[in-house]
Amino acid sequence: MQERRTTIRVPLRSRARYCASGDFFLRDGYLTTLSERGIGLWVREPHQVGERLTASFVLPRDQEPVTATGLVRWSETKAYKRGW
């Protein structure tokens, strides 16, 4: 399998709050990785590739949360059955 990543991905475990596009219901999740181009976000329910999510999280050494909106690019349904 060919590596397609163009930036370094840093492992990170941080609480996150997020909402899906079309609703304003905040959900809990965990930030798992961080790079210049995106984040890895563990969530409790599946979301479709292409769906827009807005997430808020605190980076190491910061006190103020970062809020970012992006598109789901990958989703693994099996992970939801395993839990956190």
Side-chain angles (χ1 to χ4, degrees):
M1 186 169 159
Q2 182 180 354
E3 180 63 42
R4 296 185 306 171
R5 292 186 188 117
T6 58
T7 60
I8 295 172
R9 202 184 277 193
V10 177
L12 182 63
R13 176 91 169 165
S14 178
R15 285 181 45 105
R17 302 277 291 172
Y18 78 98
C19 64
S21 63
D23 74 38
F24 296 103
F25 178 70
L26 283 175
R27 300 163 176 91
D28 292 320
Y30 283 95
L31 189 67
T32 61
T33 58
L34 178 69
S35 77
E36 290 178 354
R37 298 192 54 161
I39 63 172
L41 185 64
W42 275 91
V43 298
R44 294 183 190 266
E45 68 269 342
H47 292 277
Q48 299 297 314
V49 170
E51 185 175 357
R52 185 175 302 277
L53 301 179
T54 299
S56 181
F57 49 89
V58 177
L59 295 172
R61 301 187 195 131
D62 283 347
Q63 293 181 8
E64 295 297 318
V66 173
T67 301
T69 299
L71 299 176
V72 175
R73 293 294 184 200
W74 180 82
S75 180
E76 180 184 11
T77 305
K78 293 183 294 185
Y80 306 106
K81 295 177 183 170
R82 288 195 304 255
W84 299 96

Coordinates of all heavy atoms in Angstrom, one line a residue:
M1 N 0.8 -1.2 0.0 CA 0.0 0.0 0.0 C 0.9 1.2 0.0 O 1.8 1.4 0.8 CB -0.9 0.0 1.2 CG -1.9 1.0 1.3 SD -3.1 0.7 2.6 CE -3.7 2.3 2.8
Q2 N 0.6 2.2 -0.9 CA 1.4 3.4 -1.0 C 1.0 4.4 0.1 O -0.2 4.6 0.3 CB 1.2 4.0 -2.4 CG 2.0 5.2 -2.6 CD 1.7 5.8 -4.0 OE1 1.0 5.2 -4.8 NE2 2.3 6.9 -4.3
E3 N 2.0 5.0 0.7 CA 1.8 6.1 1.7 C 1.3 7.3 1.0 O 2.0 7.8 0.1 CB 3.1 6.3 2.5 CG 2.9 7.4 3.5 CD 2.0 7.0 4.6 OE1 2.0 5.9 5.1 OE2 1.2 7.9 5.0
R4 N 0.2 7.9 1.4 CA -0.4 9.1 0.7 C -0.2 10.3 1.6 O -0.5 11.4 1.2 CB -1.8 8.9 0.4 CG -2.0 7.8 -0.7 CD -3.4 7.7 -1.1 NE -4.3 7.5 0.1 CZ -5.6 7.6 0.0 NH1 -6.2 7.8 -1.1 NH2 -6.4 7.4 1.1
R5 N 0.2 10.2 2.9 CA 0.3 11.3 3.7 C 1.4 12.3 3.3 O 2.5 11.9 2.9 CB 0.6 10.9 5.2 CG -0.6 10.2 5.8 CD -0.3 9.9 7.2 NE -1.4 9.0 7.7 CZ -1.2 7.8 8.2 NH1 0.0 7.3 8.2 NH2 -2.2 7.0 8.6
T6 N 1.1 13.6 3.4 CA 2.1 14.6 3.0 C 2.6 15.4 4.1 O 3.5 16.2 4.0 CB 1.5 15.5 1.9 OG1 0.3 16.1 2.5 CG2 1.1 14.8 0.7
T7 N 2.0 15.1 5.3 CA 2.5 15.8 6.5 C 2.6 14.8 7.7 O 2.1 13.7 7.6 CB 1.5 16.9 7.0 OG1 0.2 16.3 7.3 CG2 1.3 18.0 5.9
I8 N 3.4 15.2 8.7 CA 3.6 14.3 9.8 C 2.4 14.3 10.7 O 1.8 15.4 11.0 CB 4.8 14.8 10.6 CG1 6.1 14.6 9.8 CG2 5.0 14.0 11.9 CD1 7.3 15.3 10.4
R9 N 2.0 13.2 11.2 CA 0.9 13.0 12.1 C 1.4 12.8 13.5 O 2.2 11.9 13.7 CB 0.0 11.8 11.6 CG -1.4 11.8 12.1 CD -2.1 10.6 11.7 NE -2.6 10.7 10.3 CZ -3.4 9.8 9.8 NH1 -3.9 8.8 10.6 NH2 -3.8 9.9 8.6
V10 N 1.0 13.6 14.5 CA 1.4 13.5 15.8 C 0.3 12.8 16.7 O -0.8 13.3 16.7 CB 1.8 14.9 16.4 CG1 2.2 14.8 17.8 CG2 2.8 15.6 15.5
P11 N 0.7 11.8 17.4 CA -0.3 11.2 18.3 C -0.6 12.1 19.5 O 0.2 12.8 20.0 CB 0.3 9.9 18.8 CG 1.7 9.9 18.5 CD 1.9 11.0 17.5
L12 N -1.9 12.2 19.8 CA -2.3 13.1 20.9 C -3.6 12.6 21.5 O -4.5 12.1 20.7 CB -2.6 14.5 20.2 CG -3.0 15.6 21.1 CD1 -1.9 16.0 22.1 CD2 -3.3 16.9 20.2
R13 N -3.8 12.6 22.8 CA -5.0 12.2 23.4 C -5.6 13.4 24.2 O -5.0 13.8 25.2 CB -4.7 11.0 24.4 CG -5.9 10.6 25.2 CD -6.7 9.5 24.5 NE -7.6 8.9 25.4 CZ -8.6 8.2 25.0 NH1 -8.7 7.9 23.8 NH2 -9.5 7.7 25.9
S14 N -6.7 13.9 23.7 CA -7.3 15.1 24.3 C -8.8 15.1 24.1 O -9.3 14.6 23.0 CB -6.7 16.4 23.6 OG -7.3 17.5 24.1
R15 N -9.5 15.5 25.1 CA -11.0 15.5 25.0 C -11.4 16.5 23.9 O -10.7 17.5 23.8 CB -11.6 15.9 26.3 CG -11.6 14.9 27.4 CD -12.2 15.4 28.7 NE -13.5 16.1 28.4 CZ -14.7 15.6 28.6 NH1 -14.8 14.4 29.2 NH2 -15.8 16.3 28.4
A16 N -12.5 16.2 23.3 CA -13.0 17.1 22.2 C -14.5 17.1 22.3 O -15.1 16.2 22.8 CB -12.5 16.6 20.9
R17 N -15.1 18.2 21.9 CA -16.5 18.3 21.7 C -16.7 18.6 20.3 O -16.0 19.4 19.6 CB -17.0 19.5 22.6 CG -16.7 19.4 24.1 CD -17.7 18.5 24.8 NE -19.0 19.2 24.9 CZ -20.1 18.7 25.3 NH1 -20.1 17.5 25.8 NH2 -21.2 19.3 25.3
Y18 N -17.8 18.0 19.7 CA -18.0 18.3 18.3 C -19.5 18.2 18.0 O -20.3 17.7 18.8 CB -17.3 17.2 17.4 CG -18.0 15.9 17.4 CD1 -18.8 15.6 16.3 CD2 -17.8 15.0 18.4 CE1 -19.4 14.3 16.3 CE2 -18.4 13.8 18.4 CZ -19.2 13.4 17.3 OH -19.9 12.2 17.3
C19 N -19.9 18.8 16.8 CA -21.2 18.7 16.4 C -21.2 18.4 14.9 O -20.2 18.8 14.2 CB -22.1 19.9 16.7 SG -21.6 21.4 16.0
A20 N -22.2 17.8 14.4 CA -22.3 17.5 13.0 C -23.0 18.7 12.3 O -23.7 19.4 12.9 CB -23.1 16.2 12.7
S21 N -22.8 18.8 11.0 CA -23.5 19.9 10.3 C -25.0 19.6 10.3 O -25.4 18.5 10.3 CB -23.0 19.9 8.8 OG -23.3 18.7 8.1
G22 N -25.7 20.6 10.3 CA -27.2 20.5 10.4 C -27.8 20.4 11.7 O -29.0 20.4 11.9
D23 N -26.9 20.2 12.8 CA -27.5 20.3 14.1 C -26.5 21.0 15.0 O -25.3 21.2 14.7 CB -27.8 18.9 14.7 CG -26.7 18.0 15.0 OD1 -25.7 18.5 15.6 OD2 -26.7 16.8 14.8
F24 N -26.9 21.4 16.2 CA -26.0 22.0 17.1 C -25.9 21.3 18.4 O -25.6 21.8 19.5 CB -26.5 23.5 17.4 CG -26.5 24.3 16.2 CD1 -27.7 24.6 15.4 CD2 -25.3 24.8 15.7 CE1 -27.6 25.4 14.3 CE2 -25.3 25.6 14.6 CZ -26.4 25.9 13.9
F25 N -26.2 20.0 18.4 CA -26.1 19.1 19.5 C -24.6 18.7 19.8 O -24.0 18.0 18.9 CB -26.9 17.8 19.3 CG -26.9 16.9 20.4 CD1 -27.4 17.2 21.7 CD2 -26.2 15.7 20.3 CE1 -27.4 16.3 22.7 CE2 -26.1 14.8 21.3 CZ -26.7 15.1 22.5
L26 N -24.0 19.2 20.9 CA -22.6 18.9 21.2 C -22.5 17.5 21.6 O -23.2 17.0 22.5 CB -22.1 19.8 22.2 CG -21.7 21.2 21.7 CD1 -21.3 22.1 22.9 CD2 -20.6 21.2 20.7
R27 N -21.5 16.8 21.1 CA -21.2 15.4 21.5 C -19.7 15.3 22.0 O -18.9 16.2 21.6 CB -21.3 14.5 20.3 CG -22.7 14.5 19.6 CD -22.6 13.9 18.2 NE -23.9 13.8 17.6 CZ -24.5 14.7 16.8 NH1 -23.9 15.9 16.7 NH2 -25.7 14.5 16.3
D28 N -19.4 14.3 22.8 CA -18.1 14.1 23.3 C -17.3 13.2 22.3 O -17.8 12.3 21.7 CB -18.1 13.4 24.7 CG -18.7 14.4 25.7 OD1 -18.3 15.6 25.7 OD2 -19.4 13.9 26.6
G29 N -16.0 13.5 22.2 CA -15.1 12.7 21.4 C -13.7 12.8 22.0 O -13.5 13.5 23.0
Y30 N -12.7 12.2 21.3 CA -11.3 12.4 21.7 C -10.5 12.6 20.4 O -10.6 12.0 19.4 CB -10.8 11.1 22.3 CG -11.3 10.9 23.7 CD1 -12.4 10.2 24.1 CD2 -10.6 11.6 24.8 CE1 -12.8 10.1 25.4 CE2 -11.0 11.5 26.1 CZ -12.1 10.7 26.4 OH -12.5 10.7 27.7
L31 N -9.6 13.6 20.5 CA -8.6 13.9 19.5 C -7.6 12.8 19.7 O -7.1 12.6 20.8 CB -8.1 15.3 19.8 CG -7.2 15.9 18.7 CD1 -7.9 16.2 17.5 CD2 -6.5 17.1 19.3
T32 N -7.2 12.1 18.6 CA -6.2 11.1 18.7 C -4.9 11.4 17.9 O -3.9 10.9 18.3 CB -6.8 9.7 18.1 OG1 -7.2 9.9 16.8 CG2 -8.0 9.3 19.0
T33 N -5.0 12.2 16.9 CA -3.8 12.6 16.1 C -4.1 14.0 15.6 O -5.2 14.5 15.5 CB -3.6 11.7 14.9 OG1 -4.7 11.7 14.0 CG2 -3.2 10.3 15.3
L34 N -2.9 14.6 15.3 CA -3.0 16.0 14.8 C -1.9 16.2 13.7 O -0.8 15.7 13.8 CB -2.7 16.9 16.0 CG -2.6 18.4 15.8 CD1 -4.0 19.0 15.4 CD2 -2.0 19.1 17.0
S35 N -2.3 16.9 12.7 CA -1.3 17.2 11.6 C -1.7 18.6 11.1 O -2.7 19.2 11.4 CB -1.3 16.2 10.5 OG -2.4 16.3 9.6
E36 N -0.9 19.1 10.1 CA -1.1 20.4 9.5 C -2.4 20.3 8.7 O -3.0 21.3 8.4 CB 0.0 20.8 8.6 CG 1.2 21.2 9.3 CD 2.4 21.5 8.4 OE1 2.2 21.4 7.2 OE2 3.4 22.0 8.9
R37 N -2.8 19.1 8.2 CA -3.9 19.0 7.3 C -5.2 18.4 8.0 O -6.2 18.3 7.3 CB -3.5 18.1 6.2 CG -2.4 18.8 5.4 CD -2.2 18.1 4.1 NE -3.5 18.1 3.4 CZ -3.6 17.9 2.1 NH1 -2.5 17.7 1.4 NH2 -4.8 17.9 1.6
G38 N -5.1 18.0 9.2 CA -6.3 17.5 9.8 C -6.1 16.9 11.2 O -5.0 16.9 11.8
I39 N -7.2 16.3 11.7 CA -7.1 15.6 13.0 C -7.7 14.2 12.9 O -8.5 13.9 12.0 CB -7.9 16.4 14.1 CG1 -9.4 16.5 13.8 CG2 -7.3 17.8 14.3 CD1 -10.2 17.1 14.9
G40 N -7.3 13.4 13.9 CA -8.0 12.1 14.0 C -9.0 12.3 15.2 O -8.6 12.8 16.3
L41 N -10.2 11.9 15.0 CA -11.2 12.2 16.1 C -12.0 10.9 16.3 O -12.7 10.4 15.4 CB -12.2 13.3 15.6 CG -13.2 13.8 16.6 CD1 -12.6 14.4 17.8 CD2 -14.1 14.8 15.9
W42 N -11.9 10.3 17.5 CA -12.8 9.2 17.9 C -14.1 9.7 18.4 O -14.2 10.6 19.2 CB -12.1 8.4 19.1 CG -11.1 7.4 18.6 CD1 -9.8 7.6 18.4 CD2 -11.3 6.1 18.3 NE1 -9.2 6.5 18.0 CE2 -10.1 5.5 17.9 CE3 -12.5 5.3 18.2 CZ2 -10.0 4.2 17.5 CZ3 -12.3 3.9 17.8 CH2 -11.1 3.4 17.5
V43 N -15.2 9.1 17.8 CA -16.5 9.5 18.2 C -17.3 8.3 18.5 O -17.0 7.2 18.2 CB -17.2 10.4 17.1 CG1 -16.4 11.7 16.9 CG2 -17.3 9.6 15.8
R44 N -18.5 8.5 19.2 CA -19.3 7.3 19.6 C -20.2 6.8 18.5 O -20.6 5.7 18.5 CB -20.1 7.7 20.8 CG -19.3 8.0 22.0 CD -20.1 8.2 23.2 NE -19.3 8.7 24.3 CZ -18.9 7.9 25.3 NH1 -19.1 6.6 25.2 NH2 -18.1 8.4 26.2
E45 N -20.6 7.6 17.5 CA -21.4 7.2 16.5 C -20.8 7.4 15.1 O -20.0 8.3 15.0 CB -22.8 7.8 16.5 CG -22.9 9.3 16.2 CD -22.7 10.2 17.4 OE1 -22.9 9.7 18.6 OE2 -22.3 11.3 17.2
P46 N -21.1 6.6 14.1 CA -20.5 6.7 12.8 C -21.0 8.0 12.1 O -22.1 8.4 12.3 CB -20.9 5.5 12.1 CG -22.2 5.0 12.8 CD -22.1 5.4 14.2
H47 N -20.1 8.5 11.3 CA -20.4 9.7 10.4 C -20.0 9.3 9.0 O -19.0 8.6 8.8 CB -19.7 10.9 10.9 CG -20.3 11.4 12.2 ND1 -21.4 12.2 12.3 CD2 -19.9 11.2 13.5 CE1 -21.7 12.5 13.5 NE2 -20.8 11.9 14.3
Q48 N -20.7 9.8 8.0 CA -20.4 9.5 6.6 C -19.2 10.3 6.1 O -19.0 11.4 6.4 CB -21.7 9.8 5.8 CG -22.9 9.0 6.2 CD -22.7 7.5 6.0 OE1 -22.2 7.1 5.0 NE2 -23.1 6.8 7.0
V49 N -18.5 9.6 5.2 CA -17.4 10.3 4.5 C -18.0 11.5 3.7 O -19.1 11.3 3.1 CB -16.6 9.3 3.6 CG1 -15.7 10.1 2.7 CG2 -15.9 8.3 4.4
G50 N -17.4 12.6 3.9 CA -18.0 13.8 3.2 C -18.8 14.7 4.2 O -19.1 15.9 3.8
E51 N -19.2 14.1 5.3 CA -20.0 14.9 6.2 C -19.1 16.0 6.9 O -18.0 15.7 7.2 CB -20.6 14.0 7.3 CG -21.5 14.6 8.3 CD -22.2 13.6 9.2 OE1 -21.9 12.4 9.1 OE2 -22.9 14.1 10.1
R52 N -19.7 17.1 7.2 CA -19.0 18.2 7.8 C -19.2 18.2 9.3 O -20.3 18.0 9.8 CB -19.5 19.6 7.3 CG -18.7 20.8 7.8 CD -19.2 22.0 7.1 NE -19.1 22.0 5.6 CZ -18.0 22.3 5.0 NH1 -16.9 22.6 5.6 NH2 -18.0 22.2 3.6
L53 N -18.1 18.2 10.1 CA -18.1 18.3 11.5 C -17.4 19.5 12.0 O -16.4 19.9 11.4 CB -17.4 17.1 12.1 CG -18.0 15.7 11.8 CD1 -17.1 14.6 12.4 CD2 -19.4 15.5 12.2
T54 N -17.8 20.1 13.1 CA -17.1 21.1 13.8 C -16.6 20.6 15.1 O -17.5 20.1 15.9 CB -18.0 22.4 13.9 OG1 -18.3 22.9 12.6 CG2 -17.2 23.5 14.7
A55 N -15.3 20.7 15.4 CA -14.8 20.2 16.7 C -14.1 21.3 17.4 O -13.5 22.2 16.9 CB -13.8 19.1 16.4
S56 N -14.1 21.2 18.8 CA -13.4 22.1 19.6 C -12.6 21.3 20.6 O -13.0 20.3 21.2 CB -14.4 22.9 20.4 OG -13.8 23.9 21.2
F57 N -11.3 21.7 20.8 CA -10.4 20.9 21.6 C -9.2 21.8 22.1 O -9.0 22.9 21.5 CB -9.8 19.7 20.8 CG -9.2 20.1 19.5 CD1 -7.9 20.5 19.3 CD2 -10.1 20.0 18.4 CE1 -7.5 20.8 18.1 CE2 -9.6 20.4 17.1 CZ -8.3 20.8 17.0
V58 N -8.5 21.4 23.1 CA -7.4 22.2 23.7 C -6.1 21.5 23.3 O -6.0 20.3 23.5 CB -7.6 22.4 25.2 CG1 -6.4 23.1 25.7 CG2 -8.8 23.1 25.5
L59 N -5.2 22.3 22.7 CA -3.9 21.7 22.4 C -3.0 21.7 23.6 O -3.2 22.5 24.5 CB -3.3 22.5 21.2 CG -4.0 22.5 19.9 CD1 -3.5 23.5 18.9 CD2 -4.0 21.1 19.3
P60 N -2.0 20.9 23.6 CA -1.0 20.9 24.7 C -0.4 22.3 24.8 O -0.1 22.9 23.8 CB 0.0 19.9 24.3 CG -0.6 19.0 23.3 CD -1.7 19.8 22.6
R61 N -0.2 22.7 26.1 CA 0.4 24.0 26.4 C -0.5 25.2 26.1 O 0.0 26.3 26.2 CB 1.8 24.2 25.7 CG 2.8 23.1 26.1 CD 4.1 23.4 25.5 NE 4.9 22.2 25.6 CZ 5.7 21.8 24.6 NH1 5.7 22.4 23.4 NH2 6.4 20.7 24.7
D62 N -1.7 25.0 25.7 CA -2.6 26.0 25.5 C -3.8 26.0 26.5 O -4.0 24.9 27.0 CB -3.3 26.0 24.1 CG -2.3 26.5 23.0 OD1 -1.3 27.1 23.3 OD2 -2.6 26.2 21.8
Q63 N -4.4 27.1 26.7 CA -5.5 27.1 27.6 C -6.8 27.3 26.9 O -7.9 26.9 27.3 CB -5.3 28.1 28.7 CG -4.2 27.8 29.7 CD -4.0 28.9 30.7 OE1 -4.8 29.8 30.9 NE2 -3.0 28.7 31.5
E64 N -6.8 28.0 25.8 CA -8.0 28.4 25.0 C -8.2 27.3 24.0 O -7.3 26.8 23.4 CB -7.8 29.7 24.3 CG -7.6 30.9 25.2 CD -8.9 31.1 26.1 OE1 -10.0 31.0 25.6 OE2 -8.7 31.4 27.3
P65 N -9.5 26.9 23.8 CA -9.8 25.8 22.9 C -9.6 26.3 21.4 O -9.8 27.5 21.1 CB -11.2 25.5 23.2 CG -11.8 26.6 23.9 CD -10.6 27.3 24.6
V66 N -9.3 25.4 20.5 CA -9.3 25.6 19.1 C -10.6 25.1 18.6 O -11.0 24.0 18.9 CB -8.1 24.9 18.5 CG1 -8.1 24.9 17.0 CG2 -6.8 25.4 19.0
T67 N -11.2 25.8 17.7 CA -12.4 25.3 17.0 C -12.2 25.2 15.5 O -11.7 26.2 14.9 CB -13.6 26.2 17.3 OG1 -13.9 26.2 18.7 CG2 -14.9 25.7 16.6
A68 N -12.4 24.1 14.9 CA -12.2 23.9 13.5 C -13.3 23.1 12.9 O -13.9 22.3 13.5 CB -10.9 23.1 13.3
T69 N -13.6 23.4 11.6 CA -14.6 22.7 10.8 C -13.9 22.0 9.7 O -13.0 22.5 9.1 CB -15.6 23.7 10.3 OG1 -16.3 24.3 11.4 CG2 -16.7 23.0 9.4
G70 N -14.3 20.7 9.5 CA -13.7 19.9 8.4 C -14.6 18.8 7.9 O -15.7 18.7 8.4
L71 N -14.2 18.1 6.9 CA -14.9 17.0 6.3 C -14.4 15.7 6.8 O -13.2 15.5 6.9 CB -14.8 17.1 4.8 CG -15.4 18.3 4.1 CD1 -15.1 18.3 2.6 CD2 -16.9 18.5 4.4
V72 N -15.3 14.7 7.0 CA -14.9 13.4 7.4 C -14.3 12.8 6.1 O -14.9 12.8 5.0 CB -16.1 12.5 7.8 CG1 -15.7 11.1 8.0 CG2 -16.8 13.1 9.0
R73 N -13.0 12.3 6.2 CA -12.3 11.7 5.1 C -12.2 10.2 5.2 O -11.9 9.5 4.2 CB -10.9 12.3 4.9 CG -11.0 13.8 4.5 CD -11.6 13.9 3.2 NE -11.5 15.3 2.7 CZ -12.3 15.7 1.7 NH1 -13.1 14.9 1.1 NH2 -12.2 17.0 1.4
W74 N -12.4 9.7 6.4 CA -12.2 8.2 6.6 C -13.1 7.9 7.9 O -13.1 8.6 8.8 CB -10.8 7.9 6.9 CG -10.5 6.5 7.1 CD1 -10.4 5.5 6.2 CD2 -10.3 5.8 8.4 NE1 -10.1 4.3 6.8 CE2 -10.1 4.5 8.2 CE3 -10.3 6.3 9.7 CZ2 -9.9 3.6 9.2 CZ3 -10.1 5.4 10.7 CH2 -9.9 4.1 10.5
S75 N -13.7 6.7 7.8 CA -14.5 6.3 8.9 C -14.5 4.8 9.0 O -14.6 4.1 7.9 CB -16.0 6.7 8.7 OG -16.8 6.3 9.8
E76 N -14.3 4.2 10.2 CA -14.2 2.8 10.4 C -15.3 2.3 11.3 O -15.3 2.6 12.5 CB -12.9 2.4 10.9 CG -12.8 0.9 11.1 CD -11.5 0.5 11.8 OE1 -10.7 1.3 12.3 OE2 -11.2 -0.7 11.8
T77 N -16.3 1.7 10.8 CA -17.5 1.3 11.5 C -17.1 0.3 12.6 O -17.7 0.3 13.7 CB -18.6 0.7 10.6 OG1 -18.9 1.6 9.6 CG2 -19.9 0.4 11.4
K78 N -16.2 -0.6 12.4 CA -15.8 -1.6 13.4 C -15.3 -0.9 14.7 O -15.5 -1.5 15.8 CB -14.6 -2.5 12.9 CG -15.0 -3.3 11.7 CD -13.9 -4.2 11.3 CE -12.8 -3.4 10.8 NZ -11.6 -4.2 10.2
A79 N -14.8 0.2 14.6 CA -14.2 0.9 15.8 C -15.4 1.3 16.8 O -15.2 1.3 18.0 CB -13.5 2.2 15.4
Y80 N -16.6 1.5 16.3 CA -17.7 1.9 17.1 C -18.1 0.8 18.0 O -18.6 0.9 19.1 CB -18.8 2.5 16.3 CG -18.4 3.6 15.4 CD1 -18.3 3.4 14.0 CD2 -18.1 4.8 15.9 CE1 -17.8 4.4 13.2 CE2 -17.6 5.8 15.1 CZ -17.5 5.6 13.8 OH -17.0 6.6 12.9
K81 N -18.0 -0.5 17.5 CA -18.3 -1.6 18.3 C -17.3 -1.9 19.4 O -17.7 -2.5 20.4 CB -18.5 -2.8 17.3 CG -19.6 -2.7 16.3 CD -19.7 -3.8 15.4 CE -20.8 -3.5 14.4 NZ -20.8 -4.4 13.3
R82 N -16.1 -1.5 19.2 CA -15.0 -1.8 20.2 C -15.1 -0.8 21.3 O -14.6 -1.1 22.4 CB -13.6 -1.6 19.5 CG -13.2 -2.7 18.6 CD -11.7 -2.7 18.3 NE -11.3 -1.4 17.8 CZ -11.0 -1.2 16.6 NH1 -11.1 -2.2 15.7 NH2 -10.5 0.0 16.2
G83 N -15.7 0.3 21.1 CA -15.8 1.4 22.1 C -14.5 2.2 22.2 O -13.7 2.1 21.3
W84 N -14.4 2.9 23.3 CA -13.2 3.7 23.5 C -12.1 2.9 23.9 O -11.0 3.0 24.2 CB -13.5 4.7 24.6 CG -14.6 5.6 24.3 CD1 -15.9 5.4 24.7 CD2 -14.6 6.8 23.5 NE1 -16.7 6.4 24.2 CE2 -15.9 7.3 23.5 CE3 -13.7 7.5 22.8 CZ2 -16.3 8.4 22.8 CZ3 -14.0 8.6 22.1 CH2 -15.3 9.1 22.1

